[in-house]
Amino acid sequence: MPKFWPTILLFSGFVSALASSQSFENTAIVRTVELGGSVVHVTTTYAIKSLTGASNVYTIAISHDEREHTSWLEAKVKGQQQSLPTQERAFDATKGYHLVDVTLPKTLPVNKTLNLVLETIQTHVTHPYPETAAQGDDQSLKYTTNLFVISPYATSVQRTKLRALTPRLLSHTTPENVEAFTNDAPVTTSGATIVYGPYNDIPSSTTHAFISEHQQPITVHYHHEQPVLEVSRLKRVVEISHWGSNLNTQDDIFLHNAGPALKGHFSRLDHQTQSYFKRPAPHVLSALTLHLPAGIRNTYYYDLIGNVSTSKLRAAASVPKNQQGSQFSILELKPRYPLLGGWNYSFTLGWDAPLEDSASYDRHDGKYIVEVPILTPIPGAVVSDAELVVILPEGASDVEFSLPFPALSTTIGTHITYLDTTGRPALTFRYKNLTIRHAQNIYVSYRVATSAHLKKPFAVAAAFFSVFILAMFARRVNVTLHQKKKAV
Ligand SMILES: *[C@@H]1O[C@H](CO)[C@@H](O)[C@H](O)[C@H]1NC(C)=O
Ligand SMILES: *[C@@H]1O[C@H](CO)[C@@H](O)[C@H](O)[C@H]1NC(C)=O
Ligand SMILES: *[C@@H]1O[C@H](CO)[C@@H](O)[C@H](O)[C@H]1NC(C)=O
Ligand SMILES: *[C@@H]1O[C@H](CO)[C@@H](O)[C@H](O)[C@H]1NC(C)=O
């Protein structure tokens, strides 16, 4: 009797796979890869057509390598703001790819079409080549991906465009064994863009036969005229103080230039000459521009040696909560020394801000709600390892929080300073591989019994604010790559 089970399971699995692979077809797939430094943005548009009118779940396939390097994934109907719910299936190691189910807004009637846009961000996917460069040399990188976007559905036509920032492409792979899909050149270049395809009449490609016969890596080698930056570690501590009505944010940042390692010695004279002629070497970081919140004061920036005074801050005036994000204070941050390939620089950046710019008081349940940004993005950089600590006022109780996307770990502890008697509740969130798309807010709510006299300034916008938060969570119950990953 038990002997029959595997057969039945196999058979039913086969039937459901067959049924799902026949529910749609792709009339076209276009993948666009924005070649970058430590972060690569990929947009894939699937023009899908319903064959049965029976399913509202469309399945996307992502190769295992690519999935390992994907830190953000979001699916939308083209032209719409709202992201669609996605659910990653358990990984089957024998297949070598991951399947993500996207729930469409509604079941698509037979022969109706829809454009689905998948946005992903890959991190740590480019490599400097050559691996070392002298101070005045160019910087070039290599990026590798798969030739075909695989799909459980048949595809009428697909192409992949890889776009560099400058039209200085060095080399690219010419694919083999694609005669079945095209009569023309399998790859063409134009300016800063390399195009693979169009390839026609591709069968359902999440099959062992297709992958072993046609799938292949393609590598492009391109000049990249910006430093390849990584934040190897970010520790942000945000301290909420009702006493001074202050929100202090302090970032400890370990910056790493992941470009080609410096060959030979660093010459400050050469660097100054290059800067003077406005031709700084592309792999050397001399300054960073950061967008800090409006309304900040007492900004400080120091490193291991002491205060760094070469930076410029243009502080924007405080703006009300509902307009946060519309204005920024601009910090032009100059490290103490130019950061060359392979070098590190660690520093501390901090500021104070009026608490009422990020907090509100909910009269109905007597709780404060504070909005805390997870990070301040450094343009083009991935944050490989991040820790966010939120320190609440002494005596805060009924602490709750909500996250825009799941953290790898969350702990609730107590932070004790010498002025406190009982210590302050502290929340710690850990993340990996954060990018600009992760620069969102965490909301923390809590009760404080003793500071009733401070409630007034918060009362005004409270009702509005809670509606806003509700709307926000309604929108963000989708992208849960980190969580999925943990579940696997
Ligand atoms: C972070 O990125 C690295 C390199 O891309 C990858 O190996 C690792 O699995 C990622 N970690 C998480 C938690 O996503
Ligand atoms: C869908 O399109 C096919 C081919 O164009 C046609 O044969 C079929 O009748 C259409 N079905 C419906 C329900 O419109
Ligand atoms: C850095 O500057 C701050 C004020 O801007 C000052 O209080 C502090 O003592 C300075 N630290 C050092 C090491 O110079
Ligand atoms: C920079 O930091 C990384 C770890 O983040 C370390 O492996 C590397 O050796 C450091 N480089 C230098 C030049 O100190």
Side-chain angles (χ1 to χ4, degrees), residues 37-339:
S38 67
V39 171
V40 170
H41 293 249
V42 182
T43 307
T44 310
T45 303
Y46 298 85
I48 70 182
K49 178 170 158 187
S50 173
L51 299 183
T52 59
S55 179
N56 69 337
V57 175
Y58 178 88
T59 304
I60 281 163
I62 303 176
S63 81
H64 184 56
D65 292 354
E66 205 166 306
R67 177 64 190 82
E68 288 280 279
H69 287 99
T70 298
S71 78
W72 173 267
L73 180 151
E74 186 174 35
K76 288 180 177 171
V77 174
K78 188 172 185 173
Q80 296 192 0
Q81 286 298 314
Q82 180 121 359
S83 46
L84 300 171
T86 56
Q87 176 73 49
E88 185 167 350
R89 296 199 207 160
F91 175 54
D92 175 353
T94 61
K95 295 222 164 78
Y97 55 81
H98 296 249
L99 293 173
V100 180
D101 289 330
V102 180
T103 306
L104 305 178
K106 53 178 192 285
T107 303
L108 216 52
V110 181
N111 288 352
K112 283 280 181 289
T113 59
L114 180 146
N115 285 336
L116 188 72
V117 180
L118 177 73
E119 191 197 338
T120 60
I121 298 186
Q122 302 172 353
T123 62
H124 307 284
V125 273
T126 69
H127 304 281
Y129 190 84
E131 288 169 2
T132 59
Q135 195 176 337
D137 287 354
D138 274 330
Q139 166 178 266
S140 48
L141 307 177
K142 278 189 172 180
Y143 170 80
T144 299
T145 185
N146 284 314
L147 176 63
F148 289 102
V149 176
I150 54 169
S151 171
Y153 316 109
T155 302
S156 306
V157 58
Q158 77 160 255
R159 54 164 72 82
T160 292
K161 300 181 203 169
L162 299 114
R163 206 149 56 196
L165 286 176
T166 61
R168 300 175 64 207
L169 302 167
L170 291 162
S171 69
H172 58 268
T173 308
T174 300
E176 287 167 358
N177 195 16
V178 290
E179 300 76 24
F181 309 115
T182 178
N183 295 320
D184 301 322
V187 54
T188 52
T189 64
S190 149
T193 307
I194 304 173
V195 182
Y196 285 90
Y199 302 131
N200 304 296
D201 302 325
I202 300 166
S204 164
S205 49
T206 47
T207 60
H208 181 70
F210 184 90
I211 292 172
S212 60
E213 209 170 317
H214 299 290
Q215 188 61 297
Q216 53 196 293
I218 48 172
T219 299
V220 298
H221 186 200
Y222 57 102
H223 278 289
H224 190 66
E225 299 181 352
Q226 287 174 5
V228 182
L229 289 186
E230 290 176 6
V231 176
S232 5
R233 210 167 97 77
L234 163 71
K235 179 170 184 182
R236 164 166 284 191
V237 178
V238 175
E239 196 170 338
I240 301 168
S241 162
H242 283 246
W243 185 241
S245 195
N246 190 47
L247 188 79
N248 173 265
T249 303
Q250 177 167 309
D251 286 351
D252 290 320
I253 299 173
F254 296 78
L255 201 59
H256 174 64
N257 184 336
L262 177 66
K263 188 165 63 184
H265 290 286
F266 169 62
S267 153
R268 196 169 268 275
L269 181 65
D270 286 353
H271 177 69
Q272 274 161 3
T273 314
Q274 283 173 343
S275 307
Y276 181 80
F277 290 108
K278 302 250 181 308
R279 287 203 60 247
H283 49 93
V284 180
L285 175 78
S286 330
L288 274 177
T289 303
L290 299 184
H291 286 62
L292 304 183
I296 60 173
R297 53 192 183 220
N298 307 334
T299 308
Y300 51 93
Y301 163 33
Y302 61 86
D303 60 15
L304 288 172
I305 300 174
N307 285 332
V308 188
S309 55
T310 46
S311 297
K312 281 198 288 275
L313 176 72
R314 262 188 294 130
S318 190
V319 295
K321 258 187 309 295
N322 51 353
Q323 285 164 32
Q324 287 284 323
S326 60
Q327 291 200 30
F328 298 99
S329 302
I330 311 279
L331 177 69
E332 201 202 331
L333 185 142
K334 275 214 171 92
R336 189 175 294 275
Y337 49 85
L339 193 64

Side-chain angles (χ1 to χ4, degrees), residues 261-462:
L262 177 66
K263 188 165 63 184
H265 290 286
F266 169 62
S267 153
R268 196 169 268 275
L269 181 65
D270 286 353
H271 177 69
Q272 274 161 3
T273 314
Q274 283 173 343
S275 307
Y276 181 80
F277 290 108
K278 302 250 181 308
R279 287 203 60 247
H283 49 93
V284 180
L285 175 78
S286 330
L288 274 177
T289 303
L290 299 184
H291 286 62
L292 304 183
I296 60 173
R297 53 192 183 220
N298 307 334
T299 308
Y300 51 93
Y301 163 33
Y302 61 86
D303 60 15
L304 288 172
I305 300 174
N307 285 332
V308 188
S309 55
T310 46
S311 297
K312 281 198 288 275
L313 176 72
R314 262 188 294 130
S318 190
V319 295
K321 258 187 309 295
N322 51 353
Q323 285 164 32
Q324 287 284 323
S326 60
Q327 291 200 30
F328 298 99
S329 302
I330 311 279
L331 177 69
E332 201 202 331
L333 185 142
K334 275 214 171 92
R336 189 175 294 275
Y337 49 85
L339 193 64
L340 280 92
W343 288 16
N344 297 322
Y345 180 60
S346 63
F347 60 95
T348 298
L349 181 64
W351 59 86
D352 289 327
L355 182 57
E356 58 273 20
D357 286 1
S358 3
S360 61
Y361 180 71
D362 186 334
R363 237 175 307 191
H364 297 296
D365 62 0
K367 291 179 85 170
Y368 291 93
I369 304 169
V370 181
E371 154 186 285
V372 178
I374 294 173
L375 63 104
T376 296
I378 292 184
V382 57
V383 180
S384 306
D385 191 59
E387 182 181 280
L388 168 66
V389 182
V390 183
I391 302 172
L392 304 178
E394 192 183 5
S397 60
D398 297 326
V399 179
E400 288 178 308
F401 55 85
S402 63
L403 308 177
F405 47 88
L408 286 179
S409 77
T410 302
T411 48
I412 303 183
T414 308
H415 176 82
I416 298 181
T417 63
Y418 68 99
L419 282 177
D420 297 333
T421 49
T422 55
R424 308 168 172 205
L427 303 172
T428 303
F429 306 97
R430 306 199 105 245
Y431 291 102
K432 282 202 191 299
N433 304 331
L434 299 183
T435 65
I436 189 159
R437 296 303 303 270
H438 297 95
Q440 301 182 16
N441 297 325
I442 284 178
Y443 290 86
V444 179
S445 73
Y446 55 87
R447 221 182 285 285
V448 191
T450 51
S451 45
H453 62 288
L454 290 171
K455 281 171 190 167
K456 208 157 181 232
F458 300 107
V460 191

